[in-house]
Amino acid sequence: RSPPGSLLAAEAMRAAGLLLAWALLRPAGTQQCHLAGPGSVLRFTDTHTEIRVPALHRVASSLDPLYGLVRRCLDLIQQNPLPTELLRAALNDPGSVRTSQVVQYELGYVACAMVALLFTVAMPVAGMCFCYCRSRQRCGGRLRAHRRSLGCRRHCLLVCLSLTSLVILTSVICAFVTSQRVKGQMEPGLGAVPTTLRTLRQHIANVPQGVQMVVDQFEVPRQQIISDLGGLSRSVGFSIHAQLKAMTYAALVDLQDRAGDLQTSLHHLQILDKTARALASARAELEPALRERRRRVVALLDDPRCTSCASVLGRAQSLELGADYSKVPSVEKVLKALAGLPRSDFAEMIRQGNGTFNSIPELAVERMAQVIQDLRDEMARMTEKVQSIANSFPLPDYTRAVSEALVKAEDRSQPYLREVERFEQYRWIAGTVLCSIILLILACN
Ligand SMILES: *[C@@H]1O[C@H](CO)[C@@H](O)[C@H](O)[C@H]1NC(C)=O
């Protein structure tokens, strides 16, 4: 069973190694967020998704061709494009819009309205005129003698009148039925107005909550950054170590070899120096003895009784020690220079240097601790900043205004909806009255 410490260290090493591998292998220039786990994914839960603004769609019905016809008619009458500038001006400052501008835009409708008004006024007036004339016997048909052709003409006129009345009655009934159907289609939309307004208000009220949720989600990248910061210094250390490893080890081995060479050279130089000194002292001892011998040999050879000595005499006189060790270059200076070399052995120093190099990851953690702490503090400040930005966002100012406007619209729509019901009654009354009039005319005929 391995002690938990070493297990932890192994885990840390593995993680750092992975990080390093990632740092070295990722293509330069790209910034990829590697996802460590499901916890690091931003999750914006949909709050209040249950609140839905009901979308009402008009179902296709038999009235569609009628709608199309109406739209084409309206397009024919009103051909001007939507006056956005005018609308904007009217919304911003209703006083600034001149009546002539509106009339110019609505020219088609105005013309239609004029014609309708003229018709409404002219028709009864003309009828009245005829009625007056008839009552004074000034115009209209005169009594004629009863003939067969007259009876035929009367019947013809009666049929024409009945047909016209029937057409008018059918038109009124058609109009009434169409109006009833349109009302049936409009009703759900009208009924949904207060609900829609209320739902919209709820949505608006939930907006600040949503913003707070986004702010809360900042915790996820913050945690990710904090956890990344935890392994950062170690990974930086490992990265440095890994990138310099090959070069440093080679240099250390080289240094080790050089140090060995230097040690050997020093040893050789020391031996050389010692030998040279020994030889020089031996020569100094040899010198007087040789001089004594030479003197004796010269004296012996210089004897006149010695025949054929003259030729050797010269050589005897020039007898000298052949080796002059003072000519051997002195290594004293070099030795003096090398005396500065540390006495301790190089291997130990290189081992120490290697150890220091190998402890770069731990060293990086130690040296970067302050920087990491500063970054952590900065992250904490960031969270506060994000919160303060969210707080300073003038959301309530807007949402309150919108909510108030919605409440107002809701309140205002209530009487309007009641009004709609009242108009519904008017419609019935108008329809019934019109039909009754037509029926009355028919009956009178
Ligand atoms: C330095 O240390 C590393 C790892 O302990 C080792 O592999 C390497 O041989 C050492 N180098 C020298 C020159 O001692």
Side-chain angles (χ1 to χ4, degrees):
R1 207 177 90 96
S2 59
S6 75
L7 206 76
L8 209 78
E11 271 303 303
M13 292 283 276
R14 219 167 51 129
L18 272 175
L19 245 165
L20 183 68
W22 165 75
L24 293 177
L25 290 177
R26 92 199 146 96
T30 63
Q31 291 283 322
Q32 290 170 334
C33 294
H34 68 123
L35 302 175
S40 62
V41 180
L42 295 181
R43 288 199 191 289
F44 296 102
T45 49
D46 290 340
T47 51
H48 308 294
T49 37
E50 70 283 0
I51 303 176
R52 289 213 180 279
V53 180
L56 292 174
H57 296 288
R58 191 174 65 80
V59 284
S61 74
S62 54
L63 287 178
D64 284 356
L66 184 71
Y67 288 145
L69 187 72
V70 168
R71 202 169 297 134
R72 272 196 293 282
C73 269
L74 290 180
D75 284 346
L76 202 70
I77 293 167
Q78 169 60 286
Q79 291 182 342
N80 297 331
L82 191 73
T84 40
E85 284 303 315
L86 198 66
L87 271 179
R88 198 168 297 142
L91 285 175
N92 288 333
D93 180 17
S96 71
V97 180
R98 276 177 289 129
T99 322
S100 63
Q101 282 176 304
V102 180
V103 169
Q104 199 184 352
Y105 169 62
E106 307 281 13
L107 201 60
Y109 291 137
V110 171
C112 281
M114 292 290 232
V115 169
L117 200 69
L118 217 66
F119 189 75
T120 317
V121 175
M123 219 15 203
V125 168
M128 295 267 211
C129 286
F130 275 117
C131 185
Y132 181 74
C133 286
R134 189 93 179 93
S135 68
R136 289 293 174 94
Q137 307 277 330
R138 296 264 172 82
C139 60
R142 287 183 176 71
L143 272 178
R144 290 177 195 174
H146 190 85
R147 267 185 249 150
R148 243 187 101 229
S149 65
L150 187 69
C152 188
R153 209 174 141 198
R154 274 188 180 167
H155 280 297
C156 197
L157 278 174
L158 182 67
V159 167
C160 280
L161 193 62
S162 302
L163 268 179
T164 316
S165 302
L166 207 68
V167 165
I168 295 175
L169 184 68
T170 320
S171 306
V172 168
I173 289 173
C174 269
F176 195 65
V177 168
T178 312
S179 149
Q180 183 62 29
R181 281 210 193 168
V182 169
K183 185 223 153 202
Q185 284 202 343
M186 293 292 192
E187 210 153 35
L190 279 177
V193 166
T195 335
T196 309
L197 286 174
R198 210 168 307 130
T199 318
L200 267 177
R201 203 145 47 81
Q202 278 176 354
H203 265 301
I204 298 285
N206 286 330
V207 165
Q209 226 170 319
V211 170
Q212 186 54 44
M213 210 164 59
V214 172
V215 171
D216 292 344
Q217 282 296 308
F218 181 69
E219 187 65 13
V220 173
R222 198 182 76 88
Q223 287 297 346
Q224 182 66 44
I225 291 170
I226 295 265
S227 79
D228 281 354
L229 278 180
L232 175 69
S233 47
R234 186 165 284 276
S235 88
V236 165
F238 269 106
S239 167
I240 294 171
H241 186 263
Q243 285 186 1
L244 296 180
K245 195 160 76 177
M247 212 171 73
T248 308
Y249 286 168
L252 280 176
V253 167
D254 207 29
L255 188 64
Q256 212 167 20
D257 293 351
R258 291 287 148 79
D261 289 351
L262 195 63
Q263 287 288 35
T264 318
S265 303
L266 184 64
H267 187 61
H268 286 166
L269 279 175
Q270 278 166 346
I271 290 172
L272 178 69
D273 188 49
K274 212 187 279 173
T275 314
R277 276 171 204 281
L279 284 173
S281 72
R283 187 180 183 280
E285 270 172 35
L286 213 59
E287 182 86 64
L290 183 71
R291 223 182 292 133
E292 178 58 26
R293 295 282 143 74
R294 191 176 59 201
R295 194 185 55 74
R296 281 199 206 155
V297 169
V298 167
L300 193 68
L301 290 177
D302 211 18
D303 200 295
R305 283 168 290 173
C306 179
T307 54
S308 67
C309 285
S311 59
V312 199
L313 182 63
R315 279 164 63 192
Q317 271 170 343
S318 65
L319 200 61
E320 263 188 22
L321 275 176
D324 183 1
Y325 295 106
S326 67
K327 279 187 187 150
V328 173
S330 168
V331 290
E332 216 161 320
K333 267 189 193 164
V334 182
L335 280 177
K336 216 174 261 173
L338 287 179
L341 274 183
R343 293 249 162 266
S344 67
D345 88 280
F346 279 102
E348 174 59 20
M349 283 172 66
I350 286 167
R351 209 183 50 73
Q352 275 182 9
N354 200 12
T356 310
F357 175 72
N358 286 335
S359 70
I360 277 180
E362 288 85 49
L363 218 64
V365 170
E366 195 183 308
R367 293 286 158 87
M368 284 176 73
Q370 187 56 47
V371 178
I372 299 288
Q373 189 53 47
D374 288 352
L375 283 174
R376 275 176 212 262
D377 295 348
E378 188 61 35
M379 279 314 293
R381 275 199 291 280
M382 272 307 213
T383 312
E384 283 166 22
K385 214 185 242 177
V386 168
Q387 183 65 59
S388 81
I389 287 172
N391 289 345
S392 69
F393 206 62
L395 216 50
D397 296 353
Y398 294 113
T399 52
R400 201 183 307 124
V402 174
S403 281
E404 276 165 14
L406 284 174
V407 167
K408 228 181 263 174
E410 212 177 312
D411 290 347
R412 247 190 251 161
S413 71
Q414 295 292 354
Y416 174 69
L417 291 175
R418 275 198 295 277
E419 200 93 313
V420 165
E421 269 168 34
R422 215 174 61 210
F423 272 108
E424 175 64 18
Q425 286 174 359
Y426 290 162
R427 193 172 63 89
W428 270 100
I429 291 168
T432 317
V433 167
L434 272 177
C435 286
S436 306
I437 289 172
I438 305 278
L439 278 176
L440 198 71
I441 291 171
L442 267 183
C444 286
N445 285 334

